[in-house]
Amino acid sequence: TGSFFDECLQSIELQTQKPAVVVIVDNGINEMQTLKTIDRARRNEWRIVQKRNTELVLAKNAGIEAVLCSGLNPIGFLFLSGAERLQPDFVAVCESVFQRCPEVGLFSCWAHYSGTHDKIWIRPCPSFPYQWISNEAVSFSAVRSEALYEAGNFRPVMNRGYEDWDLFNAVMAAGWAAVTVPRI
C-alpha cells in the first residue's frame, strides 16, 4: 500500500551513501498515496519504469534492464519491496564490503520484522548445502553486478518468493562468496 511504499522510499532517501541509481517499477497500482509517492520519486530524478500488471520477476528484470540501458555501472543491485526499510548506512556498508572484498557476490544482513510477529531474523552467512534447503539470505540482499551478470537475471519460471532464493543460489553456484553482516 501507499504508506508502506512511501516509508520504503524515505529509507532510500535517508541513506548516508546515496545509491548510484534508483529505479522504481510501477506495476500499475492506482492508490492515491502510491501515485503521490511515485511523483515524489520523479522529482528526486529516480527512474520510473511502467510495467502494468506484470509478474514480480518480470518487474525486477525490467529494473535491471533500465539500469543497464542507462549506461551506469553500479557496484551492485538491491531489490526492495514496498514493505522493506533500510537502515541509513545500508548502502554505505554494502558498498564498503563489495569494494574491500572482491570475492563477495552476495551481501546479506540480519533483519527486523515488525508487525504482529515482531522478531529479529538472524542467520549465518549463506552457504551450501544449507542454502539449498532454506534461504539464509534476506530478500533484500544486494548482489554484486558482476555476480548478477554471471548468474543471470531472475528466472521467470520461479514463483513469488522463490526468485530471490534462486538468484542467490545461482550467484553462489557461480563461485561467488556470500556474507551476512551481523547487524540489523
Side-chain angles (χ1 to χ4, degrees):
T1 63
S3 62
F4 287 130
F5 182 50
D6 188 54
E7 291 173 19
C8 177
L9 294 188
Q10 285 177 7
S11 78
I12 296 170
E13 289 173 330
L14 295 174
Q15 291 300 299
T16 57
Q17 171 73 33
K18 300 301 179 199
V21 64
V22 176
V23 174
I24 298 169
V25 180
D26 177 8
N27 203 18
I29 298 173
N30 291 321
E31 184 183 75
M32 185 56 71
Q33 180 64 37
T34 301
L35 294 173
K36 287 180 183 177
T37 302
I38 288 174
D39 283 342
R40 189 179 88 225
R42 280 190 180 101
R43 288 191 300 274
N44 282 343
E45 298 183 10
W46 293 350
R47 291 171 172 78
I48 311 296
V49 175
Q50 304 288 327
K51 283 288 186 186
R52 301 287 182 202
N53 302 319
T54 191
E55 295 178 25
L56 182 61
V57 170
L58 298 175
K60 288 180 177 183
N61 285 338
I64 294 168
E65 189 64 28
V67 171
L68 297 178
C69 289
S70 72
L72 294 173
N73 188 22
I75 196 165
F77 284 80
L78 170 68
F79 304 91
L80 293 175
S81 76
E84 294 166 333
R85 318 279 177 280
L86 300 175
Q87 291 292 328
D89 64 343
F90 184 91
V91 171
V93 172
C94 179
E95 187 173 309
S96 175
V97 168
F98 281 160
Q99 287 175 342
R100 286 197 235 158
C101 306
E103 72 281 2
V104 172
L106 180 66
F107 174 92
S108 188
C109 61
W110 295 349
H112 175 237
Y113 292 99
S114 58
T116 54
H117 301 293
D118 196 44
K119 65 180 181 176
I120 304 295
W121 193 80
I122 298 174
R123 296 288 190 270
C125 293
S127 64
F128 295 132
Y130 310 106
Q131 178 68 16
W132 285 323
I133 299 166
S134 173
N135 190 7
E136 299 292 328
V138 293
S139 61
F140 54 91
S141 294
V143 178
R144 180 186 294 274
S145 293
E146 295 166 62
L148 179 68
Y149 304 148
E150 279 185 37
N153 290 357
F154 292 95
R155 291 190 305 158
V157 297
M158 299 308 296
N159 293 326
R160 185 179 180 120
Y162 290 101
E163 74 277 356
D164 297 323
W165 185 16
D166 181 61
L167 177 64
F168 301 161
N169 287 346
V171 166
M172 293 167 47
W176 293 91
V179 297
T180 296
V181 174
R183 54 194 287 197
I184 296 172

